[in-house]
Structure formats: structure tokens, C-alpha cells
Amino acid sequence: MTALTLSTSSAATVRADAVVVGVAKGAKGVVVAPGAEAVDKAFGGKLAAVLETLGASGAEGEVTKLPAADGLKAPVVLAVGLGDAPAKGDDYDNEALRRAAGSAARALSGTKKAGFALPVEDAEAAAAVSEGALLGAYAFTTYRSNGNGQNAKGGKKNDAKSAPLGEAAILGGKPRDKEFKAAAERSVALAEEINRARDLINTPSNDLDPKSFAAQAQAAAKEFGLKVEVLDEKALKKGGYGGLMGVGQGSETPPRLVRIAHTHPKADKTLALVGKGITYDSGGISLKPAGHNETMKCDMSGAAAVFAAVVAAARLGLKVNVTGWLALAENMPSGSATRPGDVLTMYSGKTVEVLNTDAEGRLVLADALTRASEETPDAIVDVATLTGAMVLALGHRHFGIMSNDDAFRTSIHEIAEEVGEQSWPMPMPVHLRKGMDSPVADIANMGERMGGGLVAGLFLKEFVGEGITWAHLDIAGPAFHEGAPWGYTPKGGTGSAVRTLVRLAERTAAGDLG
């Protein structure tokens, strides 16, 4: 991953291949943001005018490169748009800084070192710039050839021009200041774990199945001192995990349930995180139509987010117990696959009539939620690319939040907004539960079509232990980005929800959630 340093150098004296400055949209045109004073001086105070001549407007994410003026050590200046300039006396929003740094870092692929002279008023702003730069520089190159017919996976280097930015130096970062240093260290750990999740999501299903995913969790547990337990198909069958076994029985690669836990000797709170880990979702016998299969390697994004969040909690030494449950299966059609109309006996003992085998995520999550509930954590949060209905409701950038506790739902929404992840609280209408009544089982895995995302949440609620605070994050929209990159969001896996889960763990450790 891109290296991160805090630098006391000015934008004029930093020894780098490029210096990044911020510009914004002011009432009368382009405004040069704080941090770029030395660069503006080198341009005779006319940097804004030069940029306007080149077509720059200061719009969010807009990138303009130009040769450096005399007096600057770096040969290239990259101006990145921050959007609307804040009111006089106000600071730039941290998310605006995060996105700008991400756009700049991506535009500087193939560059060895860049100095980021964006507005850094405090340690939080430095953290935002750091996170943005590290996440924006991300590139998934495992399967790219180097132009000579050699694949990067085989150990060959990729084309230098497409390599991620080598080093991001945060100017004005105060490397000897405890707050700045801690912010930088947290940013590195967080970004590395988000990028771990992205790598998992981007890995094709022929290289990532439940068994290999579990092996990665075991390797990380060994590296970072986590406790890990893997239930294979024999243990799942013996234990009565009918949801996991029912979804995975049509595949040649059997399911797994992984428990991975960070524990702290002084923790007095326990947070359980449950992730949907369908390493490939064909829809099963209820086969997905053409055009809906190509990105289904991403259906394990929830498990990737949970995995990354637990590792991040360990790396940050958070004084809270965080247990991750990865419900891993591959949903395939075959002669042994679960059929529409079959009835599964879940780990909880409840029976489920499977009306649609493409509503499989709720089945594996149900088993994991029941198992997680047995440990009576203070709260459970599940994360899943669960329903297309949530995408229809909220689009591709927001995830939905449902909960059996309104205050907890509000807290998670506020946390998500704080860390820069767009989300929206969703209701749990009681009347939709009736649509899942089954004539042959305790509940069906489908209900009313309208409000399908809410129906799925109501289904999951049935498997949460009594008296346990629970929330469900449906990340189907933002988990996998198929369009052009923007801000620090790449094409492909995004690592959605990791930042929210980590901040939730930090808040829980600090006692801010009661």
C-alpha cells in the first residue's frame, strides 16, 4: 500500500514528484484553499487565475495538472477541487478533504512521491487527508499482466505507470505531535484493512471460496493475535446449521462458519459483527437472469467488511471485545441444490420454507445471528449485500440501516455520517411480517415484493436473541462500484461499512453508546 508520512516541509520546499493543492468554488470564481499559500506565491499570487484559464472551477473531485513555477522543488502542481468554499471562519469539511485527497492520489498513479498541501487545521483533518490519499491510491492489480504475457500473480511487476502512488506526504502534519501521530497510525491501519476487504471482494470466485476465505481469516488471526474457529461442513451438519448447509449444498465447495475475535483484558463490552459471505451467488435453482451474474463475486462484501473491522479493532488495540461471524457459502444450482418449496430447519430450530433460492443471504445470516446471540453480546450488527430492493430505494451510494432499537439505529446513522459513509435509517413495518407466513413452516424466506429490503430485515430479526440490541446494514448499493472511480471510491469493491463498524467499536470502547 502507499506509504504515509507526516511532513513539516512547506509546499514550496517539499522534495516530491508533485505537490497537491486544494481549490474551491468561491462566489467570484476559483479560490485557493489554505495550505497552498507557498504555491500561490510562486505563481505570483495568480494560481487561481491560471487554473481558471485552464478550465478549472474548483468543483469537487476536479483535477488539474500544471508545470510548477520557479521556486517550487516539486516539478508538478496538481490542483484538486474541494467543492463549494466554506463560509468565512469555517473549516473545510473532512469528507471533502477525504474525497479530494482520493481523487488526487488516483490521478498520481505511477508517481513515487507526492506532497499533499491541503487544508490541515487539526489532527482530524490530517486523518481525513491521509485516509483519502491511501484509499484513493488503491489499485487491484493481482490479475493484470505486465505487457509481456506474464501475470502479476506469478510474481511479475505491473507497468510502472499504473502502479499506485508510492508515498503520500501530508504537509503540515506535525510528526512529533501525539495527536497527529496517532491519527496517522490509525489512518494507515484503517486503510490497510479497508483495502484488505476490497482485495477480497475483487478476487474472482475461482480463487475465493468459503474454504479459502476461512484460510485467510486463520492467517490474519495468527498474524494479529486473534482467536479463530472454523466450522466445516461436517461440524455445520452435526450442529444443525440448516441455513448455511441448505444454501451451500448445491456447490462443490462446502460452506463454512468462521468465528474471529478480538478480546481486550480490560473490556467490559462485547460487540458481535455478522457478515454475509456468499462467495458467488448464481441464485441457485432460482437462477439469476442474464446480466445479473457478472458481479456476484461481490456477494461476500459483508463478511469482508466484518473481517476487516475485527482485524482493525485488534490493530488499534480497542478496549472492547469484537467478535466477527463470517457466514460463508457458495450458492449454486445442481442436482443437490435446495429447491424452491424445500423446508430447512435452522440452527435456532425454526423451520423456513424456501420460496426463492436467490434469497439465500438471509438464510446464512439467520444461522450466524442465532449463534452470535448465544454469547449474549451487548449488541449485534449484521452487514450484507442483501437486497436489490434497497438499491432501488436508496441508490448506489447509501446503505440502509434497520434495527430493533431506534436509538441504536440513530447512533449508527450518525457514526456513518461522521466517518464519511452515506447511509439512511429504514423502518421495520410490522404489517410486512404477515407476508412471510408459511402454510408448512414457521416462516418463509420471502414476503411482499414491495418493500423487499424491509421484509428481509424483518426476517433477520426473527433470529436475533431476545433482549439483544441489533442492527442490520444492507450495503447492496455501495459495496461494489461498477462506474468510473470518484473521490477515494475505486471501481470494484469499496470496503463499504468498515469505517462505520470500526468507529462503532471505538465508541463502544469509550462508553459512548451506553
Side-chain angles (χ1 to χ4, degrees), residues 77-310:
V77 172
L78 186 149
V80 61
L82 291 162
D84 293 333
K88 189 175 181 179
D90 291 342
D91 294 331
Y92 282 85
D93 178 73
N94 284 339
E95 179 62 6
L97 296 176
R98 197 178 285 115
R99 292 180 183 179
S103 294
R106 186 172 53 258
L108 290 169
S109 61
T111 303
K112 291 184 178 179
K113 181 179 178 180
F116 284 74
L118 294 173
V120 176
E121 302 296 333
D122 52 29
E124 286 188 11
V129 174
S130 300
E131 288 173 24
L134 296 176
L135 295 176
Y138 172 82
F140 184 67
T141 58
T142 303
Y143 297 87
R144 293 287 183 90
S145 65
N146 64 0
N148 296 318
Q150 297 293 326
N151 192 277
K153 190 179 178 185
K156 299 294 182 179
K157 292 184 178 180
N158 287 277
D159 186 346
K161 291 182 180 179
S162 64
L165 171 66
E167 178 184 343
I170 311 303
L171 307 187
K174 301 180 183 179
R176 295 185 180 180
D177 184 283
K178 289 184 178 180
E179 288 189 11
F180 278 82
K181 186 177 179 181
E185 291 174 350
R186 179 186 184 278
S187 295
V188 170
L190 185 62
E192 286 183 349
E193 293 313 314
I194 292 171
N195 288 341
R196 179 198 299 273
R198 289 172 169 182
D199 283 348
L200 284 165
I201 297 164
N202 289 326
T203 300
S205 302
N206 59 324
D207 276 348
L208 186 73
D209 58 25
K211 184 178 179 180
S212 59
F213 196 143
Q216 291 208 35
Q218 290 172 312
K222 184 177 181 180
E223 181 179 358
F224 297 105
L226 301 164
K227 295 180 180 178
V228 65
E229 178 186 5
V230 178
L231 299 184
D232 62 14
E233 67 273 26
K234 292 181 181 179
L236 292 172
K237 185 175 182 180
K238 183 179 179 180
Y241 291 85
L244 275 157
M245 289 302 298
V247 172
Q249 70 187 38
S251 172
E252 292 184 359
T253 57
R256 296 285 188 271
L257 178 62
V258 177
R259 180 188 186 275
I260 183 167
H262 157 67
T263 57
H264 193 285
K266 296 182 179 181
D268 56 12
K269 294 284 186 180
T270 297
L271 183 64
L273 308 177
V274 177
K276 173 186 173 183
I278 304 299
T279 57
Y280 183 76
D281 182 19
S282 70
I285 297 297
S286 305
L287 192 67
K288 291 180 182 291
H292 290 75
N293 286 291
E294 290 78 3
T295 60
M296 281 301 102
K297 64 181 182 180
C298 80
D299 213 19
M300 35 58 68
S301 296
V306 165
F307 177 25
V310 174

Side-chain angles (χ1 to χ4, degrees), residues 51 62 222 310 414 488:
L51 290 169
E62 179 184 76
K222 184 177 181 180
V310 174
E414 291 174 348
Y488 52 83

Side-chain angles (χ1 to χ4, degrees), residues 215-505:
Q216 291 208 35
Q218 290 172 312
K222 184 177 181 180
E223 181 179 358
F224 297 105
L226 301 164
K227 295 180 180 178
V228 65
E229 178 186 5
V230 178
L231 299 184
D232 62 14
E233 67 273 26
K234 292 181 181 179
L236 292 172
K237 185 175 182 180
K238 183 179 179 180
Y241 291 85
L244 275 157
M245 289 302 298
V247 172
Q249 70 187 38
S251 172
E252 292 184 359
T253 57
R256 296 285 188 271
L257 178 62
V258 177
R259 180 188 186 275
I260 183 167
H262 157 67
T263 57
H264 193 285
K266 296 182 179 181
D268 56 12
K269 294 284 186 180
T270 297
L271 183 64
L273 308 177
V274 177
K276 173 186 173 183
I278 304 299
T279 57
Y280 183 76
D281 182 19
S282 70
I285 297 297
S286 305
L287 192 67
K288 291 180 182 291
H292 290 75
N293 286 291
E294 290 78 3
T295 60
M296 281 301 102
K297 64 181 182 180
C298 80
D299 213 19
M300 35 58 68
S301 296
V306 165
F307 177 25
V310 174
V311 177
R315 294 181 62 173
L316 296 172
L318 300 185
K319 197 173 73 171
V320 58
N321 298 326
V322 184
T323 304
W325 298 89
L326 316 181
L328 309 176
E330 186 177 66
N331 187 26
M332 295 291 283
S334 73
S336 61
T338 294
R339 296 148 296 220
D342 284 358
V343 175
L344 304 177
T345 300
M346 310 297 281
Y347 180 69
S348 68
K350 290 183 179 180
T351 55
V352 176
E353 181 183 13
V354 180
L355 298 180
N356 188 326
T357 63
D358 195 24
E360 85 298 329
R362 65 199 70 182
L363 299 175
V364 301
L365 286 173
D367 276 354
L369 285 168
T370 302
R371 179 65 185 87
S373 296
E374 290 181 343
E375 298 185 357
T376 60
D378 294 287
I380 298 176
V381 179
D382 76 72
V383 188
T385 48
L386 204 60
T387 65
M390 196 61 70
V391 185
L392 290 173
L394 298 179
H396 290 285
R397 295 193 181 185
H398 286 73
F399 59 75
I401 308 171
M402 301 173 68
S403 179
N404 60 5
D405 183 299
D406 288 348
F408 191 53
R409 181 186 64 183
T410 298
S411 293
I412 292 178
H413 179 224
E414 291 174 348
I415 286 170
E417 296 297 307
E418 176 189 341
V419 300
E421 294 198 299
Q422 295 167 280
S423 66
W424 198 250
M426 302 295 286
M428 299 190 73
V430 176
H431 71 273
L432 290 176
R433 169 61 181 85
K434 185 171 178 59
M436 290 184 284
D437 286 348
S438 166
V440 298
D442 295 327
I443 190 172
N445 76 330
M446 293 291 288
E448 293 184 29
R449 180 167 175 261
M450 300 303 174
L454 311 182
V455 170
L458 287 165
F459 179 91
L460 296 177
K461 183 183 177 183
E462 298 272 330
F463 298 88
V464 177
E466 186 175 352
I468 298 177
T469 301
W470 158 79
H472 160 58
L473 311 186
D474 190 335
I475 62 171
F480 195 83
H481 181 55
E482 295 185 67
W486 61 279
Y488 52 83
T489 300
K491 188 178 181 69
T494 65
S496 177
V498 175
R499 284 179 288 158
T500 297
L501 296 178
V502 172
R503 182 55 58 86
L504 174 63

